[in-house]
Amino acid sequence: KQRVEQMQIEYELHHAVEQRQWRVQFQPVAAVENDQLVACEIKLSWVNTARGEMMLDEFLPAAEESGLASVIFRWFWQHSLERVSSMNAGQRENVKLIIPVSPSLLMQEGGVDWITEVVRSHGVKPDQIYVGLPESALAIRHSQLSDVLNQLCKNGFNLILDNFGTGFAPLKLLRDIPYSLIRLGDLFVQSIHESRNDQAIIRGVVNLAHEMGLKVMASSVHSVTQYQFLVLSGCDWLSGDAVMAQVQSLPKQMEALG
């Protein structure tokens, strides 16, 4: 039954690619230390006509399995950077972008060169980009992806270990790959209200990251309780509905970016 469902999703993904059933959102990320806009997190979702809107984590495994992930992400990066290139030069040079990437695109021959070129061709510098790769992908392809991620770093990109704590990747990733930022798994953020264990995990990750000179980010911060706990726990960057509500200047800062 599970395999049949997987095949159905892959079939639907082919239609999604043909019809471009994608939604791209730019979400502001605030720095806790000064409540200022520090980056834009670019999110990709699939507007599936039968299943409703699906977040990237829900369909990325099927996209990888079907061989469509690199096609989807090439379109996603092109589309996102075209929107950024429409800003005036002063705005474009100052904005930092958090963009997810698929393992298959990175592993393709010339994948890193393609990413570097498409960024520069839109008037953006690699050091403005924070590339996010799910921890789950690194758990499976650690040895293969390490060299590729180090090459991205040499080309000037910043790296994010995405959805940290959910993918069983070894902690030595933090030693072997020069990450700039850890993004907490949304699972931990969403259960802050009821799970003391998840609260302890978040505090532990924040302390570990700071000891290693890394920043910590949490996305999908939707309640005041989550926002307050993450601030008190020492998270550096936050995004989500509650952040927009708590940091009154964020909407105006986003509007100024166009």
Side-chain angles (χ1 to χ4, degrees):
K1 185 177 179 180
Q2 187 175 1
R3 180 56 186 161
V4 171
E5 175 67 9
Q6 178 82 1
M7 292 174 65
Q8 179 61 32
I9 291 179
E10 290 178 13
Y11 173 78
E12 293 171 13
L13 271 170
H14 279 88
H15 284 281
V17 170
E18 292 172 3
Q19 299 171 12
R20 294 188 177 176
Q21 298 174 346
W22 314 116
R23 184 183 183 201
V24 177
Q25 290 179 287
F26 282 60
Q27 295 193 347
V29 179
V32 170
E33 63 179 356
N34 57 15
D35 286 345
Q36 292 297 303
L37 178 72
V38 69
C40 290
E41 183 178 13
I42 307 179
K43 292 195 169 187
L44 174 68
S45 57
W46 174 14
V47 185
N48 187 303
T49 53
R51 304 169 189 268
E53 187 168 8
M54 298 175 68
M55 298 298 103
L56 178 59
D57 291 345
E58 298 177 81
F59 68 86
L60 180 57
E64 290 283 339
E65 184 70 23
S66 66
L68 292 172
S70 61
V71 176
I72 294 168
F73 274 84
R74 282 175 185 266
W75 176 87
F76 171 55
W77 276 67
Q78 286 271 17
H79 178 82
S80 300
L81 290 165
E82 283 171 8
R83 288 175 60 175
V84 174
S85 68
S86 67
M87 301 175 183
N88 68 50
Q91 295 166 335
R92 187 173 62 245
E93 290 170 2
N94 292 321
V95 68
K96 295 187 183 299
L97 304 169
I98 298 171
I99 313 180
V101 70
S102 75
S104 59
L105 175 54
L106 285 179
M107 294 301 297
Q108 278 186 343
E109 185 175 353
V112 171
D113 291 338
W114 182 86
I115 289 173
T116 304
E117 177 56 31
V118 77
V119 167
R120 288 178 173 156
S121 68
H122 286 86
V124 181
K125 297 176 182 177
D127 64 6
Q128 294 175 249
I129 306 288
Y130 285 75
V131 181
L133 191 70
E135 185 195 28
S136 56
L138 288 158
I140 300 169
R141 305 183 185 181
H142 173 215
S143 59
Q144 296 171 295
L145 283 166
S146 291
D147 291 343
V148 176
L149 292 175
N150 276 292
Q151 185 60 49
L152 273 175
C153 244
K154 289 177 183 175
N155 287 6
F157 292 91
N158 302 286
L159 300 179
I160 298 178
L161 183 54
D162 214 354
N163 276 338
F164 185 72
T166 61
F168 307 106
L171 282 173
K172 76 188 194 78
L173 282 175
L174 297 176
R175 183 195 66 193
D176 296 345
I177 299 172
Y179 289 103
S180 301
L181 188 70
I182 290 174
R183 190 172 76 86
L184 294 169
D186 289 346
L187 175 69
F188 300 119
V189 175
Q190 298 314 310
S191 60
I192 283 172
H193 301 80
E194 66 263 3
S195 174
R196 287 186 176 274
N197 287 337
D198 285 352
Q199 292 176 8
I201 288 170
I202 289 172
R203 292 193 190 98
V205 170
V206 171
N207 290 335
L208 172 65
H210 287 172
E211 285 290 327
M212 299 184 73
L214 307 176
K215 293 185 182 296
V216 180
M217 174 181 169
S219 300
S220 303
V221 183
H222 297 312
S223 75
V224 175
T225 300
Q226 292 168 350
Y227 176 84
Q228 292 175 340
F229 175 83
L230 292 164
V231 169
L232 290 173
S233 296
C235 277
D236 303 285
W237 294 3
L238 300 175
S239 72
D241 296 340
V243 182
M244 289 287 283
Q246 293 294 312
V247 184
Q248 300 294 326
S249 63
L250 270 189
K252 290 183 179 179
Q253 293 181 61
M254 281 294 286
E255 186 177 340
L257 283 179

